[in-house]
């Protein structure tokens, strides 16, 4: 019961080293070598300063594809999901501030609340699972080739707030906050 016929797998049709018999993953260290999940922004900045080449993981909507589709191995990983400061959305000094770790669902809800004209974009933006898992910071940082959130953020005159262990204006690494003038 429930047996399916054997399906031939055409490994030769795969690009590069994946075409070779026995290939499992791209060359490199086991995935991941080290992982951390800081709980505060200060702990995150310290972890990033200690491991500047670590992969930053939030919603895993892009990084998951690197591993499952591109067969990449990850070295060090820093998970951002436990840092509540990165998930905050508020209005401060007349500017809407959206933390880089805010889900796309939460970020677009905040944007639409201030700019109802964005409702259609928000509705069409990705699928519900991606909107709920992905983050606005990840969408911008990974430079989606289809643009995604960037045209709307550029049109709103959004800016990115940078921070590092050396201070908010050191620009070493950047947990981002989008700030736009004149919310409704």
């Amino acid at each position: 019961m429930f047996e399916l016929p054997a399906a031939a797998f055409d490994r030769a049709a795969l690009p590069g080293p994946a075409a070779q018999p026995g290939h499992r993953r791209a060359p490199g260290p086991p995935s991941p070598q080290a992982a951390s999940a800081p709980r505060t922004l200060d702990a995150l900045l310290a972890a990033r300063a200690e491991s500047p080449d670590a992969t930053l993981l939030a919603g895993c909507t892009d990084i998951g594809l690197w591993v499952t589709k591109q067969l990449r191995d990850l070295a060090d990983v820093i998970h951002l999901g436990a840092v509540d400061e990165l998930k905050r959305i508020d209005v401060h000094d007349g500017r809407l501030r959206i933390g880089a770790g805010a889900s796309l669902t939460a970020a677009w809800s905040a944007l639409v609340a201030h700019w109802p004209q964005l409702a259609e974009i928000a509705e069409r933006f990705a699928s519900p699972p991606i909107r709920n898992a992905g983050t606005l910071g990840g969408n911008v940082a990974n430079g989606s080739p289809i643009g995604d959130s960037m045209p709307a953020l550029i049109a709103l005159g959004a800016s990115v707030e940078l921070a590092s262990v050396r201070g908010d204006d050191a620009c070493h690494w950047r947990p981002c906050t989008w700030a736009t003038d004149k919310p409704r």
Side-chain angles (χ1 to χ4, degrees):
M1 182 173 185
F2 300 115
E3 275 191 45
L4 297 174
F9 182 73
D10 184 7
R11 186 169 291 281
L14 295 174
Q20 304 306 314
H23 176 78
R24 303 295 281 173
R25 293 248 179 240
S31 179
Q33 288 181 344
S36 65
R39 300 185 65 79
T40 66
L41 183 57
D42 287 340
L44 169 59
L45 296 176
R48 184 59 172 179
E50 186 177 308
S51 299
D53 295 327
T55 299
L56 302 174
L57 172 68
C60 203
T61 58
D62 288 338
I63 294 171
L65 295 175
W66 299 350
V67 174
T68 62
K69 304 300 181 212
Q70 297 176 1
L71 305 178
R72 287 192 206 175
D73 277 321
L74 303 178
D76 296 346
V77 173
I78 301 173
H79 181 255
L80 310 178
V83 182
D84 287 339
E85 292 103 318
L86 293 181
K87 297 176 189 175
R88 288 193 186 132
I89 299 175
D90 60 19
V91 176
H92 181 72
D93 292 334
R95 304 183 88 192
L96 175 63
R97 295 169 45 110
I98 302 173
S103 73
L104 290 165
T105 297
W108 280 105
S109 292
L111 288 165
V112 169
H114 292 280
W115 294 277
Q117 311 88 307
L118 296 176
E120 186 176 349
I121 295 171
E123 184 178 308
R124 293 175 182 259
F125 194 97
S127 65
I130 298 298
R131 286 194 302 261
N132 290 322
T135 63
L136 187 58
N139 184 255
V140 171
N142 285 321
S144 173
I146 60 171
D148 283 335
S149 61
M150 291 305 295
L153 294 173
I154 290 168
L156 292 172
S159 61
V160 178
E161 182 180 315
L162 309 176
S164 82
V165 293
R166 296 178 294 162
D168 288 349
D169 55 340
C171 300
H172 177 246
W173 178 72
R174 38 223 161 260
C176 304
T177 300
W178 281 268
T180 60
D181 289 322
K182 302 178 211 138
R184 187 169 46 124

